[in-house]
Amino acid sequence: MPWIGQAVDILRDAGYFFGGALPRWFDGDGLLMQKLDCPPYFEGLILESDFAKELLEIIKEDWNG
């Protein structure tokens, strides 16, 4: 899908940020973009795996722009 980058840019301009990956979503991998009414409470998350912690850092970076 060559247009996915443009779609993400449009969503970011509308206040959305990367919220996570959706593996095998509708027979292919997906990208979750989300928009919140208030800032996320990242400090309240308890993550176990190193992968989850790395993913959270990516999400934080995208949230901060």
Side-chain angles (χ1 to χ4, degrees), residues 24-48:
R24 300 298 302 162
W25 187 260
F26 291 109
D27 212 23
D29 294 339
L31 172 71
L32 173 68
M33 298 292 290
Q34 60 185 359
K35 184 175 183 177
L36 303 174
D37 290 332
C38 60
Y41 181 57
F42 292 124
E43 298 77 22
L45 296 173
I46 300 171
L47 304 174
E48 298 293 327

Side-chain angles (χ1 to χ4, degrees), residues 47-60:
L47 304 174
E48 298 293 327
S49 71
D50 289 336
F51 175 75
K53 293 172 185 173
E54 290 175 29
L55 187 56
L56 177 60
E57 290 307 311
I58 293 168
I59 294 168
K60 282 178 167 180

Side-chain angles (χ1 to χ4, degrees), residues 3-32:
W3 43 264
I4 195 68
Q6 188 176 14
V8 169
D9 289 339
I10 291 168
L11 288 171
R12 278 200 179 115
D13 289 344
Y16 287 78
F17 66 99
F18 175 68
L22 303 170
R24 300 298 302 162
W25 187 260
F26 291 109
D27 212 23
D29 294 339
L31 172 71
L32 173 68

